[in-house]
C-alpha cells in the first residue's frame, strides 16, 4: 500500500532501506569514484550506512532525530569529503522537520531544501560544478514543485529528478573536489556523489510506494 504519510517508525524503516541500497551499490559507487576521484566513495558510503543502521537500531525520538541521527552517524564514521557533506545533508535537512510527527510531501521538500542549502554553504559548490549537488539541486526544485501532491507521487518525481541530475552530471566539467584536476577529462562520467543521491531518493520512493 503506498503510504500517504510516514510515522517516525516508518521513517526509520525507510532510512534502513536507503542504507541497504547504498551498501548494495558499493561496487557501482566505487567504480564511479575510480573514474573521477580516488575510488573510495563506495566504501566510505557503505561504512557510513552501516553506522546509520547501527544507530537507528536503537530507535529515534521523532522524525527530526531519525534524520539527524543518520547524519551524525555518517559524519562520525566516514572520512573524506562525503562524510561531512552527506552528514550535513541529513542533519540540516532533519532540523527543518522539528516538531513534525508525520513525514509528507511538504516534509520531503523541506528536508531536501534544508539539506541542500547547508551543503552548499558548507562545501562551497554550486549547481554545475559536477558534485552531488547536481542531483540534489534538481531534486530540491522538483520537491518544491510537487509538495502539494501525494507523498508517493512526490517521492517518485523527486527520485526521477535525481536520476536525471546524475545523468546530466556526465556532461559537466569538474571544478570541485578531487576530480577538478581532470578538467575536461572528467566529461563522460557521472559524479560519484550524484550517483549516491540518485540511489538514496530511489530507495525513499520505493519504500513510500511499496
Ligand atoms: P573524497 O573526495 O574525499 O575522496 P568521496 O570520494 O567519498 O570523498 O566523495 C566524493 C564526492 O563528494 C564527489 O563525488 C562529490 O559528489 C562530493 N563532493 C566533493 N566536494 C564537494 C563539495 N564541496 N560540495 C558538495 N559535494 C562535494
Ligand atoms: Mg573519493
Amino acid at each position: 500500500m503506498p503510504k500517504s504519510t510516514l510515522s517516525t517508525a516508518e521513517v526509520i524503516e525507510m532510512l534502513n532501506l536507503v542504507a541497504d541500497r547504498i551498501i548494495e551499490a558499493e561496487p557501482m559507487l566505487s567504480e564511479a569514484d575510480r573514474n573521477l576521484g580516488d575510488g573510495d566513495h563506495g566504501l566510505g558510503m557503505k561504512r557510513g550506512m552501516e553506522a546509520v543502521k547501527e544507530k537507528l537500531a536503537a530507535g529515534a525520538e521523532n522524525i527530526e532525530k531519525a534524520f539527524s541521527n543518520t547524519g551524525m552517524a555518517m559524519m562520525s564514521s566516514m572520512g573524506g569529503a562525503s562524510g561531512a557533506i552527506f552528514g550535513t545533508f541529513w542533519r540540516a535537512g532533519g532540523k527543518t522537520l522539528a516538531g513534525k510527527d508525520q513525514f509528507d510531501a511538504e516534509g520531503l521538500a523541506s528536508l531536501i531544501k534544508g539539506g541542500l542549502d547547508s551543503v552548499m554553504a558548507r562545501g562551497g559548490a554550486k549547481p554545475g560544478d559536477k558534485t552531488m549537488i547536481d542531483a540534489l539541486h534538481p531534486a530540491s526544485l522538483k520537491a518544491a514543485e510537487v509538495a502539494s501532491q501525494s507523498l508517493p507521487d512526490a517521492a517518485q518525481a523527486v527520485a526521477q529528478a535525481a536520476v536525471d541530475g546524475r545523468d546530466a552530471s556526465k556532461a559537466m566539467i569538474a571544478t570541485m573536489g578531487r576530480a577538478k584536476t581532470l578538467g575536461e577529462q572528467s566529461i563522460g562520467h557521472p559524479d560519484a556523489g550524484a550517483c549516491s543521491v540518485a540511489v538514496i531518493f530511489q530507495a525513499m520512493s520505493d519504500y513510500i510506494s511499496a
Side-chain angles (χ1 to χ4, degrees):
M1 265 289 277
K3 301 166 187 69
S4 55
T5 64
L6 305 187
S7 64
T8 301
E10 289 170 326
V11 167
I12 291 172
E13 269 181 19
M14 175 179 75
L15 288 167
N16 268 295
L17 182 65
V18 166
D20 290 337
R21 292 284 181 82
I22 287 283
I23 291 166
E24 278 166 34
E26 180 275 315
M28 178 275 283
L29 299 173
S30 294
E31 169 73 15
D33 195 35
R34 270 197 294 279
N35 290 327
L36 295 177
D38 57 359
D40 65 349
H41 184 67
L43 288 173
M45 290 295 286
K46 180 172 180 231
R47 188 165 61 244
M49 287 298 181
E50 283 164 355
V52 168
K53 285 178 74 83
E54 214 177 292
K55 181 108 181 168
L56 293 179
E61 274 164 57
N62 52 41
I63 288 173
E64 175 194 6
K65 284 271 167 15
F67 287 113
S68 66
N69 287 349
T70 294
M72 307 271 262
M74 293 187 87
M75 276 186 192
S76 59
S77 62
M78 296 167 63
S82 56
I85 284 159
F86 283 86
T88 296
F89 170 72
W90 293 115
R91 244 179 79 167
K95 272 205 188 123
T96 68
L97 302 171
K100 297 252 194 285
D101 57 9
Q102 294 288 323
F103 182 70
D104 56 14
E106 274 185 29
L108 178 65
S110 80
L111 170 82
I112 301 175
K113 169 94 169 64
L116 169 69
D117 287 351
S118 200
V119 166
M120 286 178 63
R122 180 160 180 169
K126 48 187 195 321
D129 285 338
K130 198 173 179 110
T131 69
M132 54 84 84
I133 289 169
D134 293 305
L136 202 50
H137 180 251
S140 182
L141 293 179
K142 181 57 76 177
E145 189 188 312
V146 299
S148 60
Q149 295 186 12
S150 72
L151 180 60
D153 286 354
Q156 196 185 4
V158 165
Q160 187 60 51
V163 165
D164 293 345
R166 174 201 68 196
D167 290 345
S169 79
K170 287 183 197 171
M172 295 173 186
I173 298 176
T175 57
M176 294 294 291
R178 295 181 199 278
K180 77 174 172 203
T181 55
L182 292 173
E184 293 197 354
Q185 285 173 296
S186 64
I187 295 174
H189 298 290
D191 172 68
C195 293
S196 281
V197 171
V199 170
I200 289 168
F201 290 132
Q202 189 60 57
M204 288 172 68
S205 173
D206 288 349
Y207 177 80
I208 288 165
S209 297

